[in-house]
Amino acid sequence: MEYVCRVGTPDGRILEEVREARSERIVRNQLETRGYRVFEVKRRGLRLSLPELRRRRAITDREFLLFNQELAGLLKAGLPLLQALDLVLERQRNRDFREILEDVRDKVRGGEELSTAFLAHGERFPRLYGSTLMAGERTGELEKVIRRFVRYLKIVMETRRRVVTALVYPALLVALSAIMVAVMVVYVIPKFQVFYEAMDVELPALTRVILGFSLFVQQRFWLILGGLVLLVLVVPRIRRTDSGGAFIDRLKVKLPLVGGILHRFAISEFCRALSTLLAGGLPLVPSLSVATDAVGNAYLRHKLQPVVLKVREGSSLHRALEETGEVGDLAVDLVKVGEATGSLDEMLSNVSDFFDEEIETKIQRLLAMVEPIMLVFMGVLVALLLVSMYLPLFSILGQLQ
Protein backbone atom coordinates (compact mmCIF):
# COMPACT_ATOMS: atom_id res chain seq x y z
CA MET A 1 0.00 0.00 0.00
CA GLU A 2 1.15 3.52 -0.76
CA TYR A 3 0.92 6.43 1.69
CA VAL A 4 1.26 10.18 1.10
CA CYS A 5 3.28 11.68 3.94
CA ARG A 6 3.58 15.35 4.95
CA VAL A 7 6.64 15.83 7.15
CA GLY A 8 8.88 18.51 8.60
CA THR A 9 12.67 18.24 8.25
CA PRO A 10 15.15 19.14 11.02
CA ASP A 11 16.14 22.28 9.06
CA GLY A 12 12.52 23.56 9.03
CA ARG A 13 11.34 22.55 5.55
CA ILE A 14 7.93 20.96 4.86
CA LEU A 15 8.06 18.01 2.45
CA GLU A 16 5.53 15.64 0.92
CA GLU A 17 6.67 12.09 0.11
CA VAL A 18 5.05 8.92 -1.21
CA ARG A 19 6.06 5.71 0.60
CA GLU A 20 5.09 2.07 0.20
CA ALA A 21 4.58 -0.08 3.33
CA ARG A 22 2.28 -2.66 4.93
CA SER A 23 0.71 -0.20 7.35
CA GLU A 24 0.64 3.44 8.44
CA ARG A 25 2.56 2.58 11.62
CA ILE A 26 5.54 1.28 9.63
CA VAL A 27 5.57 4.47 7.53
CA ARG A 28 5.55 6.64 10.64
CA ASN A 29 8.40 4.62 12.17
CA GLN A 30 10.47 4.99 9.00
CA LEU A 31 9.99 8.76 8.95
CA GLU A 32 10.65 9.23 12.67
CA THR A 33 13.83 7.13 12.40
CA ARG A 34 15.10 9.61 9.80
CA GLY A 35 14.47 12.48 12.21
CA TYR A 36 11.36 13.88 10.48
CA ARG A 37 8.39 15.32 12.32
CA VAL A 38 5.29 13.61 10.91
CA PHE A 39 2.32 15.92 10.30
CA GLU A 40 0.07 13.65 8.23
CA VAL A 41 0.07 10.16 6.74
CA LYS A 42 -2.81 9.12 4.51
CA ARG A 43 -3.35 6.18 2.21
CA ARG A 44 -2.98 6.92 -1.47
CA GLY A 45 -5.85 6.13 -3.84
CA LEU A 46 -5.68 3.27 -6.33
CA ARG A 47 -4.00 4.13 -9.62
CA LEU A 48 -4.87 2.22 -12.74
CA SER A 49 -1.94 3.08 -14.96
CA LEU A 50 -0.44 0.19 -16.93
CA PRO A 51 2.93 0.24 -15.14
CA GLU A 52 1.14 -0.21 -11.83
CA LEU A 53 -0.93 -3.08 -13.17
CA ARG A 54 2.14 -4.91 -14.42
CA ARG A 55 3.07 -7.63 -11.98
CA ARG A 56 6.32 -6.86 -10.21
CA ARG A 57 8.97 -9.53 -10.07
CA ALA A 58 10.22 -10.29 -6.57
CA ILE A 59 13.78 -9.39 -5.68
CA THR A 60 15.28 -12.58 -4.27
CA ASP A 61 17.62 -12.67 -1.30
CA ARG A 62 20.36 -14.01 -3.55
CA GLU A 63 20.04 -11.11 -6.01
CA PHE A 64 20.06 -8.60 -3.17
CA LEU A 65 23.06 -10.30 -1.58
CA LEU A 66 25.05 -10.25 -4.83
CA PHE A 67 24.22 -6.57 -5.35
CA ASN A 68 25.54 -5.64 -1.91
CA GLN A 69 28.65 -7.76 -2.30
CA GLU A 70 29.46 -6.06 -5.61
CA LEU A 71 28.70 -2.59 -4.25
CA ALA A 72 30.88 -3.14 -1.16
CA GLY A 73 33.72 -4.45 -3.33
CA LEU A 74 33.60 -1.43 -5.64
CA LEU A 75 33.50 1.01 -2.72
CA LYS A 76 36.47 -0.73 -1.08
CA ALA A 77 38.39 -0.38 -4.34
CA GLY A 78 38.00 3.40 -4.00
CA LEU A 79 35.31 4.09 -6.61
CA PRO A 80 32.87 6.95 -5.95
CA LEU A 81 29.35 5.88 -5.00
CA LEU A 82 27.74 7.05 -8.26
CA GLN A 83 30.28 5.23 -10.41
CA ALA A 84 29.87 2.07 -8.28
CA LEU A 85 26.09 2.20 -8.76
CA ASP A 86 26.52 2.61 -12.53
CA LEU A 87 28.78 -0.46 -12.70
CA VAL A 88 26.39 -2.57 -10.61
CA LEU A 89 23.49 -1.48 -12.83
CA GLU A 90 25.25 -2.80 -15.93
CA ARG A 91 25.30 -6.33 -14.45
CA GLN A 92 21.71 -6.35 -13.17
CA ARG A 93 19.38 -8.75 -15.03
CA ASN A 94 16.22 -8.41 -12.93
CA ARG A 95 14.25 -5.71 -14.77
CA ASP A 96 12.30 -4.50 -11.73
CA PHE A 97 15.41 -4.41 -9.56
CA ARG A 98 17.22 -2.53 -12.31
CA GLU A 99 14.45 0.10 -12.49
CA ILE A 100 14.66 0.60 -8.72
CA LEU A 101 18.43 0.90 -8.82
CA GLU A 102 18.20 3.43 -11.65
CA ASP A 103 15.82 5.50 -9.52
CA VAL A 104 18.19 5.17 -6.53
CA ARG A 105 21.14 6.25 -8.72
CA ASP A 106 19.22 9.26 -10.02
CA LYS A 107 18.24 10.33 -6.51
CA VAL A 108 21.80 10.03 -5.26
CA ARG A 109 22.97 12.06 -8.25
CA GLY A 110 20.35 14.67 -7.31
CA GLY A 111 21.83 15.04 -3.83
CA GLU A 112 19.88 12.54 -1.71
CA GLU A 113 21.62 10.09 0.58
CA LEU A 114 21.78 6.42 -0.43
CA SER A 115 19.76 5.37 2.62
CA THR A 116 17.00 7.88 1.80
CA ALA A 117 16.84 6.66 -1.80
CA PHE A 118 16.39 3.03 -0.71
CA LEU A 119 13.91 3.84 2.06
CA ALA A 120 11.72 5.55 -0.55
CA HIS A 121 11.01 2.09 -2.03
CA GLY A 122 9.51 0.82 1.21
CA GLU A 123 8.53 -2.83 1.09
CA ARG A 124 10.85 -3.85 -1.75
CA PHE A 125 13.81 -3.91 0.65
CA PRO A 126 14.22 -4.71 4.36
CA ARG A 127 13.85 -1.65 6.55
CA LEU A 128 16.96 -2.88 8.31
CA TYR A 129 18.95 -2.21 5.13
CA GLY A 130 18.03 1.48 4.87
CA SER A 131 18.80 2.05 8.54
CA THR A 132 22.12 0.23 8.20
CA LEU A 133 23.08 2.48 5.29
CA MET A 134 22.05 5.50 7.36
CA ALA A 135 24.37 4.40 10.17
CA GLY A 136 27.23 3.98 7.68
CA GLU A 137 26.64 7.43 6.20
CA ARG A 138 26.71 9.01 9.67
CA THR A 139 29.98 7.31 10.64
CA GLY A 140 31.61 7.58 7.22
CA GLU A 141 32.05 3.79 6.97
CA LEU A 142 29.49 2.90 4.30
CA GLU A 143 31.51 0.05 2.85
CA LYS A 144 32.01 -1.56 6.29
CA VAL A 145 28.34 -1.44 7.24
CA ILE A 146 27.34 -2.91 3.87
CA ARG A 147 29.73 -5.81 4.49
CA ARG A 148 28.28 -6.20 7.98
CA PHE A 149 24.79 -6.35 6.44
CA VAL A 150 26.02 -8.93 3.91
CA ARG A 151 27.25 -11.12 6.77
CA TYR A 152 23.90 -10.71 8.51
CA LEU A 153 21.98 -11.62 5.35
CA LYS A 154 24.15 -14.69 4.73
CA ILE A 155 23.57 -16.00 8.25
CA VAL A 156 19.80 -15.41 8.06
CA MET A 157 19.59 -17.08 4.63
CA GLU A 158 21.59 -20.09 5.83
CA THR A 159 19.47 -20.48 8.97
CA ARG A 160 16.27 -20.17 6.93
CA ARG A 161 17.58 -22.75 4.45
CA ARG A 162 18.26 -25.22 7.27
CA VAL A 163 14.80 -24.76 8.73
CA VAL A 164 13.11 -25.20 5.35
CA THR A 165 15.27 -28.23 4.51
CA ALA A 166 14.34 -29.83 7.82
CA LEU A 167 10.63 -29.38 7.12
CA VAL A 168 10.69 -30.57 3.49
CA TYR A 169 10.97 -34.29 4.23
CA PRO A 170 8.15 -34.41 6.83
CA ALA A 171 5.99 -32.31 4.51
CA LEU A 172 6.59 -34.75 1.64
CA LEU A 173 5.69 -37.71 3.84
CA VAL A 174 2.47 -36.01 4.94
CA ALA A 175 1.60 -35.11 1.33
CA LEU A 176 2.25 -38.67 0.10
CA SER A 177 0.18 -40.10 2.95
CA ALA A 178 -2.70 -37.75 2.12
CA ILE A 179 -2.56 -38.65 -1.60
CA MET A 180 -2.46 -42.38 -0.84
CA VAL A 181 -5.40 -42.18 1.55
CA ALA A 182 -7.36 -40.04 -0.93
CA VAL A 183 -6.84 -42.60 -3.72
CA MET A 184 -7.95 -45.45 -1.51
CA VAL A 185 -10.99 -43.60 -0.16
CA VAL A 186 -12.16 -42.24 -3.52
CA TYR A 187 -11.25 -45.12 -5.86
CA VAL A 188 -10.31 -48.39 -4.11
CA ILE A 189 -12.80 -48.61 -1.23
CA PRO A 190 -15.89 -47.96 -3.44
CA LYS A 191 -14.97 -51.12 -5.43
CA PHE A 192 -15.21 -53.17 -2.24
CA GLN A 193 -18.49 -51.47 -1.35
CA VAL A 194 -20.10 -52.63 -4.61
CA PHE A 195 -18.79 -56.16 -4.04
CA TYR A 196 -20.11 -56.40 -0.47
CA GLU A 197 -23.51 -55.02 -1.45
CA ALA A 198 -23.79 -57.80 -4.06
CA MET A 199 -22.79 -60.43 -1.48
CA ASP A 200 -25.40 -59.14 1.00
CA VAL A 201 -23.31 -59.89 4.11
CA GLU A 202 -23.24 -58.24 7.50
CA LEU A 203 -20.19 -56.00 7.73
CA PRO A 204 -18.00 -55.45 10.84
CA ALA A 205 -18.20 -52.07 12.58
CA LEU A 206 -14.73 -50.99 11.36
CA THR A 207 -15.64 -51.71 7.75
CA ARG A 208 -18.94 -49.81 8.05
CA VAL A 209 -17.12 -46.76 9.43
CA ILE A 210 -14.56 -46.75 6.62
CA LEU A 211 -17.23 -47.27 3.95
CA GLY A 212 -19.35 -44.48 5.46
CA PHE A 213 -16.40 -42.10 5.40
CA SER A 214 -15.65 -43.06 1.79
CA LEU A 215 -19.29 -42.43 0.81
CA PHE A 216 -19.21 -39.03 2.56
CA VAL A 217 -16.08 -37.99 0.62
CA GLN A 218 -17.52 -39.21 -2.70
CA GLN A 219 -20.78 -37.30 -2.28
CA ARG A 220 -19.06 -34.08 -1.22
CA PHE A 221 -15.82 -34.40 -3.19
CA TRP A 222 -16.20 -31.20 -5.22
CA LEU A 223 -17.37 -29.30 -2.13
CA ILE A 224 -14.29 -30.45 -0.19
CA LEU A 225 -12.02 -29.66 -3.14
CA GLY A 226 -13.58 -26.21 -3.51
CA GLY A 227 -13.10 -25.57 0.21
CA LEU A 228 -9.41 -26.48 -0.05
CA VAL A 229 -8.92 -24.22 -3.08
CA LEU A 230 -10.74 -21.39 -1.29
CA LEU A 231 -8.51 -21.93 1.75
CA VAL A 232 -5.39 -21.71 -0.42
CA LEU A 233 -6.63 -18.45 -1.96
CA VAL A 234 -7.94 -16.82 1.22
CA VAL A 235 -5.15 -17.64 3.69
CA PRO A 236 -2.49 -15.54 1.87
CA ARG A 237 -4.87 -12.56 1.82
CA ILE A 238 -5.56 -12.96 5.54
CA ARG A 239 -1.82 -13.35 6.09
CA ARG A 240 -1.19 -9.92 4.57
CA THR A 241 -3.40 -8.17 7.15
CA ASP A 242 -1.89 -7.19 10.51
CA SER A 243 -4.37 -9.12 12.68
CA GLY A 244 -4.57 -12.13 10.33
CA GLY A 245 -0.79 -12.38 10.00
CA ALA A 246 -0.35 -12.21 13.79
CA PHE A 247 -3.00 -14.93 14.30
CA ILE A 248 -1.45 -17.31 11.74
CA ASP A 249 2.09 -16.71 13.02
CA ARG A 250 0.90 -17.32 16.58
CA LEU A 251 -0.42 -20.70 15.47
CA LYS A 252 2.96 -21.44 13.87
CA VAL A 253 4.98 -20.87 17.05
CA LYS A 254 2.47 -22.97 19.04
CA LEU A 255 2.80 -26.00 16.74
CA PRO A 256 4.31 -29.12 18.30
CA LEU A 257 7.86 -29.98 17.24
CA VAL A 258 8.37 -27.10 14.76
CA GLY A 259 6.93 -24.27 16.86
CA GLY A 260 10.03 -24.01 19.06
CA ILE A 261 12.28 -23.84 16.00
CA LEU A 262 10.26 -21.02 14.43
CA HIS A 263 10.16 -19.14 17.75
CA ARG A 264 13.94 -19.32 18.19
CA PHE A 265 14.50 -18.29 14.59
CA ALA A 266 12.42 -15.12 15.07
CA ILE A 267 14.25 -14.15 18.29
CA SER A 268 17.60 -14.85 16.62
CA GLU A 269 16.53 -12.66 13.72
CA PHE A 270 15.70 -9.82 16.12
CA CYS A 271 18.98 -10.08 18.07
CA ARG A 272 21.16 -10.26 14.96
CA ALA A 273 19.42 -7.29 13.36
CA LEU A 274 19.83 -5.25 16.55
CA SER A 275 23.49 -6.27 16.82
CA THR A 276 24.13 -5.24 13.20
CA LEU A 277 22.57 -1.80 13.71
CA LEU A 278 24.33 -1.12 17.01
CA ALA A 279 27.67 -2.18 15.56
CA GLY A 280 27.04 0.26 12.69
CA GLY A 281 26.73 3.17 15.15
CA LEU A 282 22.95 3.65 15.28
CA PRO A 283 21.51 4.61 18.72
CA LEU A 284 19.70 1.95 20.74
CA VAL A 285 16.09 3.20 20.47
CA PRO A 286 16.05 3.64 16.66
CA SER A 287 17.91 0.34 16.34
CA LEU A 288 15.26 -1.41 18.45
CA SER A 289 12.48 0.03 16.33
CA VAL A 290 14.10 -1.17 13.10
CA ALA A 291 15.12 -4.58 14.51
CA THR A 292 11.58 -5.20 15.77
CA ASP A 293 10.10 -4.50 12.33
CA ALA A 294 12.73 -6.84 10.82
CA VAL A 295 11.23 -9.84 12.66
CA GLY A 296 9.37 -11.97 10.12
CA ASN A 297 6.89 -13.50 12.59
CA ALA A 298 4.05 -10.98 13.03
CA TYR A 299 2.97 -12.38 16.41
CA LEU A 300 6.45 -12.12 17.96
CA ARG A 301 6.96 -8.76 16.29
CA HIS A 302 3.84 -7.52 18.10
CA LYS A 303 5.10 -8.98 21.41
CA LEU A 304 8.49 -7.24 21.02
CA GLN A 305 7.14 -3.80 20.10
CA PRO A 306 6.57 -2.67 23.75
CA VAL A 307 10.33 -3.08 24.29
CA VAL A 308 10.97 0.04 22.19
CA LEU A 309 8.64 2.17 24.31
CA LYS A 310 9.99 0.83 27.61
CA VAL A 311 13.62 1.48 26.64
CA ARG A 312 12.70 4.96 25.40
CA GLU A 313 11.14 5.64 28.81
CA GLY A 314 14.36 4.63 30.58
CA SER A 315 14.03 0.90 31.22
CA SER A 316 17.04 -1.34 30.65
CA LEU A 317 16.95 -3.54 27.56
CA HIS A 318 17.35 -6.83 29.42
CA ARG A 319 14.44 -6.04 31.75
CA ALA A 320 12.18 -4.97 28.84
CA LEU A 321 13.01 -8.18 26.97
CA GLU A 322 12.40 -10.28 30.08
CA GLU A 323 8.95 -8.74 30.57
CA THR A 324 7.85 -9.88 27.10
CA GLY A 325 8.12 -13.51 28.21
CA GLU A 326 9.35 -14.48 24.73
CA VAL A 327 13.12 -14.32 25.29
CA GLY A 328 14.88 -17.06 27.25
CA ASP A 329 16.65 -16.49 30.56
CA LEU A 330 20.11 -17.15 29.13
CA ALA A 331 19.57 -14.58 26.36
CA VAL A 332 18.35 -12.02 28.92
CA ASP A 333 21.43 -12.66 31.09
CA LEU A 334 23.78 -12.18 28.13
CA VAL A 335 22.05 -8.92 27.19
CA LYS A 336 22.39 -7.77 30.81
CA VAL A 337 26.12 -8.50 30.71
CA GLY A 338 26.42 -6.65 27.40
CA GLU A 339 24.72 -3.57 28.85
CA ALA A 340 26.97 -3.63 31.91
CA THR A 341 30.21 -4.02 29.93
CA GLY A 342 29.35 -1.76 26.99
CA SER A 343 29.56 -4.61 24.49
CA LEU A 344 25.85 -5.01 23.77
CA ASP A 345 26.29 -5.57 20.02
CA GLU A 346 28.76 -8.40 20.66
CA MET A 347 26.54 -10.06 23.25
CA LEU A 348 23.51 -9.84 20.97
CA SER A 349 25.55 -11.51 18.25
CA ASN A 350 26.43 -14.27 20.76
CA VAL A 351 22.74 -14.66 21.59
CA SER A 352 21.96 -15.08 17.89
CA ASP A 353 24.74 -17.66 17.52
CA PHE A 354 23.40 -19.52 20.56
CA PHE A 355 19.88 -19.63 19.13
CA ASP A 356 21.21 -20.72 15.73
CA GLU A 357 23.04 -23.63 17.37
CA GLU A 358 19.87 -24.56 19.25
CA ILE A 359 17.91 -24.44 16.00
CA GLU A 360 20.45 -26.74 14.33
CA THR A 361 20.26 -29.20 17.25
CA LYS A 362 16.47 -29.20 17.30
CA ILE A 363 16.35 -29.68 13.53
CA GLN A 364 18.53 -32.79 13.80
CA ARG A 365 16.35 -34.13 16.62
CA LEU A 366 13.22 -33.35 14.63
CA LEU A 367 14.50 -35.29 11.63
CA ALA A 368 15.51 -38.21 13.85
CA MET A 369 12.01 -38.30 15.39
CA VAL A 370 9.79 -37.47 12.43
CA GLU A 371 11.10 -40.05 9.95
CA PRO A 372 10.28 -43.18 12.01
CA ILE A 373 7.07 -41.64 13.39
CA MET A 374 5.77 -40.83 9.90
CA LEU A 375 6.75 -44.26 8.56
CA VAL A 376 4.97 -45.98 11.44
CA PHE A 377 1.93 -43.73 11.01
CA MET A 378 1.74 -44.47 7.26
CA GLY A 379 2.11 -48.20 7.90
CA VAL A 380 -0.63 -48.24 10.55
CA LEU A 381 -2.97 -46.18 8.37
CA VAL A 382 -2.52 -48.41 5.33
CA ALA A 383 -2.89 -51.55 7.46
CA LEU A 384 -6.08 -50.17 9.03
CA LEU A 385 -7.64 -49.47 5.64
CA LEU A 386 -6.66 -52.87 4.23
CA VAL A 387 -7.85 -54.78 7.29
CA SER A 388 -11.18 -52.95 7.27
CA MET A 389 -11.73 -53.95 3.62
CA TYR A 390 -10.57 -57.57 3.84
CA LEU A 391 -12.11 -58.40 7.23
CA PRO A 392 -15.53 -59.28 5.74
CA LEU A 393 -13.80 -61.62 3.25
CA PHE A 394 -12.29 -63.59 6.11
CA SER A 395 -15.76 -63.87 7.65
CA ILE A 396 -17.26 -65.06 4.36
CA LEU A 397 -14.48 -67.66 3.87
CA GLY A 398 -15.06 -68.94 7.40
CA GLN A 399 -18.77 -69.40 6.73
CA LEU A 400 -18.07 -71.27 3.48
CA GLN A 401 -15.71 -73.66 5.24
Side-chain angles (χ1 to χ4, degrees), residues 320-340:
L321 289 174
E322 186 178 19
E323 289 175 357
T324 63
E326 301 296 337
V327 183
D329 293 338
L330 179 59
V332 171
D333 291 341
L334 289 174
V335 171
K336 185 177 181 179
V337 172
E339 288 181 301

Side-chain angles (χ1 to χ4, degrees), residues 298-318:
Y299 168 71
L300 291 175
R301 184 168 63 243
H302 176 73
K303 298 284 285 185
L304 290 169
Q305 282 169 354
V307 174
V308 183
L309 180 60
K310 291 177 181 178
V311 172
R312 183 182 286 123
E313 292 175 348
S315 175
S316 60
L317 177 60
H318 76 273

